[in-house]
Amino acid sequence: MNDLGELVEEAAIGVGVSDRRDGLAAILRPDCAAAVWRREIDPGFQRWIDALDPEVLPRLRRIMRPDAVGATVSQLLAEQRMPEGAERAWLAEDVTALAERFIALVPAPYLRLRLDVVTTNSCRRFHVDAVTARLVCTYRGTGTQYGVATGGAEPERIHTVPTGSPIVLRGTLWPETPQSGLRHRSPPIEGTGETRLLCVVDPVARLDEDG
């Protein structure tokens, strides 16, 4: 199936959801403010990542060339004392592959890669990021939530991205007219004991870019 329209279904107005990695390209359609690749993560990996001590989960915020992601992530996971094995290798490979796929959709000479460990209500308000576009993939814990807001109100219907499924979201710098009204947030988890691990990728024009 070469027609992207055959691969993508709508979960909310302006959001395309596909079971194929090609479906992330829906972000390039005029009517698509976000695209989700709905995929099933290996249960063995999920049990492994969920059982790890939060102290060994990777933390990173760095701007780099796309071809540096693989070596950077592999070194970080080793330094963070994550247990060696097939699961750690898969995580490094997957972060690298997602970064490469994202930057192919939203070309830029550099990217900002974040690996965040979250236990609070960080970014719990529905919002749009001040970037051209952003990829988010939650490897552990509850995924990103999104919905369509009108008139400045909170979304009436909230969707949650499945754990392990990447979502690409347009930001305020995307030349989108009219605005879709799509907003997203990190799920409020403070006080629940939940620990989230997420990967965030942004396109960056310069090595010294802040944000």
Side-chain angles (χ1 to χ4, degrees), residues 126 147-156 179-183:
F126 283 96
V148 177
T150 58
E154 295 281 279
E156 292 187 4
Q179 295 293 315
S180 68
L182 187 74
R183 302 289 185 269

Side-chain angles (χ1 to χ4, degrees), residues 7-128:
L7 302 177
V8 176
E9 63 185 66
E10 291 223 341
I13 297 174
V15 180
V17 179
S18 175
D19 293 330
R20 294 177 53 169
R21 67 186 67 192
D22 303 18
L24 288 179
I27 195 66
L28 303 178
R29 297 190 333 195
D31 61 344
C32 198
V36 178
W37 172 17
R38 183 176 53 196
R39 60 178 182 168
E40 292 187 10
I41 297 298
D42 179 76
F45 170 82
Q46 200 62 62
R47 287 192 295 271
W48 176 81
I49 197 74
D50 288 346
L52 286 181
D53 186 326
E55 290 301 314
V56 304
L57 295 177
R59 295 161 173 84
L60 178 72
R61 183 187 181 95
R62 189 175 303 172
I63 294 175
M64 68 191 82
R65 295 184 61 86
D67 59 9
V69 173
T72 300
V73 173
S74 294
Q75 180 180 356
L76 173 71
L77 299 188
E79 292 175 348
Q80 199 68 29
R81 305 191 314 278
M82 292 190 82
E84 291 188 59
E87 294 86 359
R88 190 177 90 179
W90 183 86
L91 178 61
E93 292 169 1
D94 194 64
V95 170
T96 302
L98 290 181
E100 291 174 347
R101 179 165 297 277
F102 172 72
I103 215 67
L105 292 173
V106 188
Y110 304 100
L111 58 81
R112 180 186 299 106
L113 176 63
R114 286 168 35 206
L115 293 171
D116 289 342
V117 179
V118 179
T119 58
T120 66
N121 288 346
S122 172
C123 298
R124 65 167 295 177
R125 293 183 178 276
F126 283 96
H127 64 283
V128 180

